[in-house]
Amino acid sequence: MALVVQKFGGTSVANCNRIKRVADRVIRRKKQGDDVVVVLSAMAGQTNYLISLALEMQSQPDRRELDVLLATGEQVTISLFSMAVKARGFDAESFLGYQIPIETDTAHTRARIRNIPTDRLKRAIEQGKIPVVAGFQGVDNLGDITTLGRGGSDTTAVAVAVALDADVCEIYTDVDGVYTTDPNICPAARKIDRISYEEMLEMASLGAKVLEIRSVEFAMRYNMPLHVRSSFTENPGTMVVKEDESMEDVLVSAVTYSKDEARITVKKVPDKPGIAASLFNPISEANIVVDMIIQNTREGNLTDMTFTVPKGDYEQAMEIVKRTADEIGAESVAGDRGISKVSIVGVGMRNHAGVASKMFDILARHGVNILMISTSEIKVSCIIDEKFTELAVRALHEGFGLDKTDS
Ligand code: ADP
Ligand code: ASP
Ligand code: MG
């Protein structure tokens, strides 16, 4: 008998019929003799809808109040699901974040889980019930409701699985598993059977939203196997597990993209010690994450600094940078929101030279200009004009032999 945590995403619980189907599925597993703990998202589109309501009230909604609002999405699905289970003659018990409690820090809208006591969940399991946990939400030490950031139900699921020492955490979604690239923009994408935590972590960080980044971090740290699979079919999905030797045979495992990028250039900054610190300290104090940075030296002891920030933080970052630019005597500040980042990921890159240059060749052949580059041991990323994103993803997918017909 295994202990399984099953998480169902927004599309899997998008309406009453789907919730009933999920209940049937969970009960089937229970009947096979496994203990199941369920984690649910809000109905598809619901979190976006709630955000749109908040924006009608305040242009930058108060984060504490926003969390109170957003947490209602998951409250609806866990209660409806538990009713569906009971209607089928089985027993379920729903839990909001504060009832378990899922203890987090106080960083509203992007809280981190600190601890999950398991007493209530274990008691429910012992009583033969199916515990049903609201994803995405927690409670801080003041007793205030927090949320974990978009896609955060994945993190709830993995954290609950780790706390309960479950055998596996199954993430049910609207695709068959983790693909070599987003199947919704590249029809030639292939499902990956097994992928390492490290590669999955890079993919998640570089835009593959099929798993939320922190959920993969958690799984990797505690060696919790993840099974990403479809809630609409019985097909086996993708196992996210520890790296093994066979994984290194594949040079590039996946292509990812992110349109959530914006670029800022500070022109003609006096080139002297401390300039980078004066420029980037105020940005990091505002909790804005700077990704790529390029410094170009000009004549006359001047330099240009170009860097990227998440699109959502662009306006705030521009305001801060303009202020600092004046202070440090820069000539001007320019910005561009129309960019994206395409990346190739693979543990096989560690032992092979020439992967980056092949990527540059492929992009060049398709007429895609590269604006910025960054590399690490297992990935290469290029910033390009946003309008070429899909073209670049498909070209790289084909160029690195990932298309379906190659298998
Ligand atoms: P859920 O609501 O179940 O959490 P998400 O929308 O968060 O689902 O994640 C699933 C989506 O992730 C897919 O519909 C797909 O468009 C997208 N996606 C992006 N990259 C990949 C990838 N490499 N493999 C699979 N899906 C991907
Ligand atoms: N409902 C939340 C969101 O849409 C959390 C999740 O679905 O994972 O981001
Ligand atoms: Mg998701």
Side-chain angles (χ1 to χ4, degrees):
M1 191 173 83
L3 173 59
V4 185
V5 173
Q6 300 192 322
K7 177 256 171 178
F8 294 86
T11 39
S12 313
V13 292
N15 54 47
C16 289
N17 275 337
R18 289 198 182 166
I19 291 176
K20 290 177 191 170
R21 276 175 57 184
V22 172
D24 289 334
R25 181 165 199 146
V26 170
I27 287 170
R28 268 205 308 280
R29 187 64 165 266
K30 187 87 183 153
K31 278 186 184 159
Q32 286 166 10
D34 289 336
D35 281 328
V36 188
V37 176
V38 173
V39 175
L40 298 182
S41 288
M43 290 182 181
Q46 187 62 20
T47 308
N48 287 342
Y49 170 67
L50 293 170
I51 292 173
S52 74
L53 295 184
L55 288 171
E56 294 221 7
M57 301 300 147
Q58 258 189 316
S59 58
Q60 286 201 316
D62 179 89
R63 288 175 185 270
R64 180 185 179 279
E65 301 311 324
L66 189 59
D67 277 350
V68 174
L69 180 69
L70 296 190
T72 61
E74 275 71 11
Q75 183 161 354
V76 172
T77 49
I78 58 167
S79 53
L80 290 176
F81 176 84
S82 302
M83 292 173 199
V85 169
K86 285 169 191 274
R88 283 157 179 72
F90 280 73
D91 206 0
E93 189 172 5
S94 66
F95 295 99
L96 291 165
Y98 77 86
Q99 291 175 299
I100 293 186
I102 307 243
E103 297 168 11
T104 72
D105 62 18
T106 55
H108 286 290
T109 74
R110 49 177 162 229
R112 278 179 181 270
I113 295 176
R114 285 191 167 151
N115 184 39
I116 305 184
T118 52
D119 325 12
R120 288 204 73 174
L121 294 172
K122 283 187 176 151
R123 206 179 322 140
I125 296 169
E126 274 158 25
Q127 292 168 345
K129 295 176 183 169
I130 299 167
V132 186
V133 179
F136 177 56
Q137 59 177 266
V139 60
D140 68 12
N141 55 1
L142 301 169
D144 284 340
I145 295 173
T146 54
T147 64
L148 309 179
R150 299 307 305 272
S153 298
D154 295 337
T155 306
T156 307
V158 178
V160 166
V162 168
L164 287 170
D165 198 16
D167 295 284
V168 62
C169 180
E170 298 180 343
I171 307 283
Y172 288 85
T173 183
D174 57 358
V175 285
D176 262 347
V178 179
Y179 277 67
T180 45
T181 194
D182 186 348
N184 287 324
I185 73 155
C186 181
R190 268 186 300 126
K191 192 186 82 192
I192 301 171
D193 293 332
R194 282 161 62 78
I195 190 165
S196 67
Y197 292 121
E198 267 187 296
E199 285 170 308
M200 193 61 238
L201 188 58
E202 284 288 3
M203 287 178 69
S205 317
L206 295 168
K209 72 165 183 166
V210 60
L211 284 176
E212 200 260 345
I213 304 171
R214 283 185 192 163
S215 70
V216 188
E217 274 170 3
F218 243 108
M220 182 155 114
R221 184 165 350 131
Y222 296 99
N223 213 3
M224 172 59 60
L226 302 182
H227 186 180
V228 182
R229 56 192 306 195
S230 166
S231 65
F232 303 106
T233 70
E234 294 293 329
N235 301 341
T238 303
M239 290 305 300
V240 188
V241 287
K242 244 189 174 149
E243 182 179 338
D244 63 40
E245 277 166 19
S246 70
M247 292 174 179
E248 286 180 13
D249 297 343
V250 185
L251 190 61
V252 170
S253 304
V255 179
T256 61
Y257 69 95
S258 165
K259 295 186 178 181
D260 180 27
E261 308 283 331
R263 182 170 62 143
I264 298 178
T265 303
V266 187
K267 290 187 186 154
K268 294 196 181 169
V269 188
D271 198 1
K272 59 180 188 202
I275 284 298
S278 346
L279 196 58
F280 293 115
N281 284 351
I283 303 178
S284 72
E285 273 159 23
N287 256 324
I288 296 174
V289 180
V290 171
D291 182 16
M292 292 189 202
I293 303 177
I294 288 184
Q295 181 171 358
N296 293 321
T297 311
R298 287 180 178 245
E299 279 172 20
N301 217 21
L302 293 173
T303 185
D304 289 348
M305 288 273 203
T306 305
F307 56 94
T308 60
V309 294
K311 225 172 226 163
D313 293 329
Y314 173 75
E315 260 107 33
Q316 201 191 348
M318 273 300 254
E319 259 174 47
I320 297 170
V321 171
K322 280 184 179 155
R323 234 179 295 136
T324 330
D326 276 346
E327 286 162 23
I328 59 177
E331 186 199 78
S332 60
V333 180
D336 183 2
R337 306 172 54 133
I339 59 163
S340 70
K341 178 163 66 179
V342 289
S343 311
I344 52 172
V345 177
V347 287
M349 275 183 218
R350 280 199 196 109
N351 309 319
H352 289 85
V355 183
S357 53
K358 182 168 176 183
M359 177 179 191
F360 307 151
D361 274 346
I362 294 169
L363 293 176
R365 261 192 282 121
H366 288 80
V368 179
N369 191 30
I370 300 170
L371 305 171
M372 296 170 92
I373 298 166
S374 83
T375 64
S376 81
E377 220 190 355
I378 64 164
K379 71 115 203 266
V380 185
S381 298
C382 295
I383 296 285
I384 61 170
D385 190 330
E386 187 177 358
K387 66 174 180 283
F388 294 128
T389 313
E390 283 78 8
L391 169 71
V393 167
R394 292 186 195 125
L396 292 169
H397 195 268
E398 196 212 339
F400 281 101
L402 296 175
D403 275 9
K404 255 181 200 155
T405 46
D406 289 309
S407 63

